[in-house]
Amino acid sequence: MTLLSAVAVRPERRTPDIPLPSPADRVTSGAVRSAPAAGVGAAPLLPVVGGGLPVPLVTGKTTAYANLDYAASAPCLADVAAHLAQVAPYYASVHRGAGYASRVSTARYEHARAQVAAFVGARADDVVVFTRNTTDALNLLARSVPGRTEEAGGGQDDRDGTGASDAGDVLFLDIEHHANLLPWRRGRHRCVVAGTTQRATLVALRAELAARPAALVAVTGASNVTGEVLPLDEIVAAAHQAGARVVLDAAQLAAHRRIDLTASGVDYVAFSGHKLYAPLGSGALVGRRDWLDAAPAYLPGGGAVREVTLTGTTWADAPQRHEGGTPNVLGAAALGQACETLAALPDGALAAHEEALRARLVDRLDALPGVRRHRIWRDSPDAIGVVAFSVDGHHPGLVAAYLSAEHGIGVRDGKFCAHPLLSRLGAPDGTLRASFGVGTTLADVDRLADAVENLLVAGSRWEYAVVDGRWEPVGDPRPVPEWAGVTADGPDGITSLGGFAGTGGASPCEREARP
């Protein structure tokens, strides 16, 4: 069954009748939490493709997959898959096409732009640029900041051509995902070391802004490692007071919290479709037009221009200026539909669902001796559906392999493309990360807690070893579909997961894993 055929008829939009907690009962990442309202988290908030997927275990049994890896890539919403099935027959290249399918695809592509703008509360003069993902969007913005010198390496003596030293500086915290860290290092930049509390972090940021001018403050909305949410209103106020703009890396936040550029004053927001229940490789950068209209074309080529001669080019304004080449029409449609579907949820429903799940998981893990949960700040009052933890005496990669092979549970392990933060957390080998969303239930997080407890009490039932930088069950017998492309055969000639060994599937930062 393909993604486009997974749902034959678009389901009626679901508006769950979910009892919501009062503000006093909201679950936070702090030490004191009240019990969630009865029934919250017992069932999926919205249907997703792959919900209840049967997966094999090394024991030969089969179980329903417990997907607790939403922070890496969220499953496709059933509503999105159904919409793609409607759109796919009309797929054609957009803009400048006279054919009916091309005109329909163009209309759908531009409607997706409007859906994305509405989802993030864009201002009337903001622009929506479709990108591949958050990383792509932030790299685009990095080339658009006025006064920056590419490959300058952050030197403090660089000038922006107007005589204003540091006018093009970008400030970011040391806790950022690499996508919100590496692009800024190609020009003038300053890294602010986060304090042990959010209050101390704000003090450090304000001090850096007061010390020298900056053009932009780049900040994550929610940590991709711990899920902790930053005090965005205070960050925006501090930046604007110092004359700097703010870009919000909402790769994690967008799927969990409402974003409103107009109300918050955030100048730019970047996020990815694949973390927002919309696969097919689309993301967006949304924000103020002036920088994007003045920036060099991000991807020079067809569609990005008004006129070309052999000696010169007149570039289009944003967004077309930065969308050279044939755009990802189906990816944009998926992203737009996901935005609309999530926006239709009742106010507070998504937060209440995830808070119930997080409260259960945190309580269960904190009760297990030998399990250590990771946090950045002692005073963080809120967190999304992401929990990072370590199990004493067990490499995180081994625990993740055990959870998958023996319990059918998917979590992420490693450094999560946030190496400086993992160093701060004292986890040189990385950690485990459980993450969840609209398709997750309390039963899923209980399965995880039960499996970790079983590991601590009884140990694993299978032997594991590091192969090509990843922990794997020795002689993994689990079969995989032929279309997965695995070439090695397992016992009795059955294609198995053991065929992945040695295929180079590990990230470079994982290759130092050791027993």
Side-chain angles (χ1 to χ4, degrees):
M1 179 179 293
T2 67
L3 175 62
L4 296 182
S5 65
V7 183
V9 180
R10 182 175 176 180
E12 180 180 353
R13 177 152 296 127
R14 200 167 164 228
T15 307
D17 183 15
I18 298 174
L20 301 181
S22 67
D25 291 333
R26 288 178 61 83
V27 179
T28 73
S29 59
V32 179
R33 292 188 307 271
S34 299
V40 177
L45 188 61
L46 289 171
V48 298
V49 175
L53 176 73
V55 296
L57 305 178
V58 290
T59 58
K61 297 181 179 180
T62 299
T63 189
Y65 184 48
N67 183 358
L68 296 176
D69 195 17
Y70 276 55
S73 283
C76 182
L77 284 170
D79 192 47
V80 169
H83 181 66
L84 287 173
Q86 291 179 320
V87 174
Y90 296 91
Y91 171 74
S93 188
V94 302
H95 304 139
R96 303 179 302 282
Y100 182 77
S102 179
R103 297 190 67 169
V104 170
S105 290
T106 298
R108 183 64 190 93
Y109 185 69
E110 295 303 329
H111 179 52
R113 211 184 296 277
Q115 290 174 306
V116 169
F119 181 69
V120 297
R123 296 159 289 253
D125 57 348
D126 281 341
V127 62
V128 175
V129 182
F130 284 120
T131 63
R132 291 179 297 169
N133 45 43
T134 308
T135 301
D136 199 31
L138 293 172
N139 273 275
L140 163 58
L141 186 61
R143 295 188 58 183
S144 306
V145 179
R148 279 169 59 78
T149 303
E150 286 290 302
E151 309 298 347
Q156 296 179 9
D157 295 330
D158 296 326
R159 300 278 174 172
D160 67 355
T162 65
S165 179
D166 306 313
D169 279 14
V170 176
L171 269 60
F172 55 85
L173 298 174
D174 64 336
I175 65 167
E176 301 293 336
H177 185 284
H178 296 165
N180 198 29
L181 187 155
L182 297 179
W184 316 118
R185 286 165 53 169
R186 299 183 66 186
R188 292 204 307 270
H189 64 274
R190 281 133 60 192
C191 180
V192 179
V193 177
T196 57
T197 65
Q198 289 194 348
R199 186 57 46 196
T201 301
L202 286 168
V203 170
L205 180 61
R206 290 192 185 101
E208 192 63 40
L209 285 166
R212 297 202 309 275
L216 183 70
V217 174
V219 64
T220 185
S223 170
N224 75 300
V225 177
T226 67
E228 290 165 276
V229 176
L230 277 77
L232 189 59
D233 289 344
E234 296 182 68
I235 291 172
V236 171
H240 286 179
Q241 185 177 10
R245 293 186 178 183
V246 175
V247 58
L248 176 66
D249 172 0
Q252 297 299 333
L253 189 68
H256 304 273
R257 296 285 190 275
R258 295 272 169 90
I259 297 170
D260 192 327
L261 295 182
T262 302
S264 67
V266 168
D267 299 282
Y268 298 94
V269 62
F271 59 98
S272 299
H274 74 98
K275 297 182 189 295
L276 198 71
Y277 309 98
L280 304 186
S282 187
L285 174 67
V286 187
R288 302 193 185 275
R289 173 177 289 278
D290 54 346
W291 285 8
L292 297 172
D293 276 347
Y298 183 56
L299 188 63
V305 302
R306 294 187 186 278
E307 185 178 2
V308 176
T309 68
L310 293 180
T311 57
T313 303
T314 302
W315 298 100
D317 292 333
Q320 288 80 13
R321 186 186 193 93
H322 304 295
E323 292 181 355
T326 300
N328 182 358
V329 181
L330 293 180
L335 179 57
Q337 190 61 38
C339 288
E340 186 173 294
T341 300
L342 291 174
L345 287 169
D347 287 343
L350 180 56
H353 178 78
E354 292 187 353
E355 287 168 350
L357 300 174
R358 182 181 173 86
R360 176 72 66 86
L361 182 58
V362 166
D363 288 345
R364 291 286 313 272
L365 292 179
D366 286 353
L368 295 177
V371 173
R372 179 165 55 101
R373 194 163 49 86
H374 298 281
R375 295 177 60 180
I376 304 171
W377 299 289
R378 298 193 304 268
D379 61 344
S380 51
D382 189 18
I384 60 170
V386 175
V387 176
F389 65 99
S390 299
V391 181
D392 288 349
H394 298 276
H395 191 281
L398 170 60
V399 179
Y402 152 82
L403 291 171
S404 172
E406 300 184 34
H407 296 277
I409 300 170
V411 298
R412 182 82 19 171
D413 69 279
K415 300 179 182 179
F416 316 115
C417 294
H419 293 184
L421 175 55
L422 269 294
S423 295
R424 281 181 57 110
L425 297 177
D429 292 327
T431 68
L432 292 147
R433 183 184 69 189
S435 54
F436 34 82
V438 298
T440 317
T441 66
L442 290 169
D444 294 328
V445 298
D446 279 339
R447 277 179 61 185
L448 172 61
D450 290 343
V452 172
E453 183 175 13
N454 182 79
L455 178 66
L456 292 169
V457 173
S460 62
R461 291 180 291 173
W462 203 268
E463 183 181 354
Y464 297 84
V466 176
V467 179
D468 195 32
R470 292 291 301 166
W471 283 91
E472 304 283 353
V474 175
D476 193 342
R478 290 174 291 172
V480 296
E482 292 183 3
W483 48 258
V486 181
T487 57
D489 290 335
D492 302 320
I494 299 174
T495 301
S496 69
L497 283 176
F500 285 130
T503 60
S507 166
C509 64
E510 295 172 329
R511 295 188 184 278
E512 296 304 316
R514 291 291 182 270

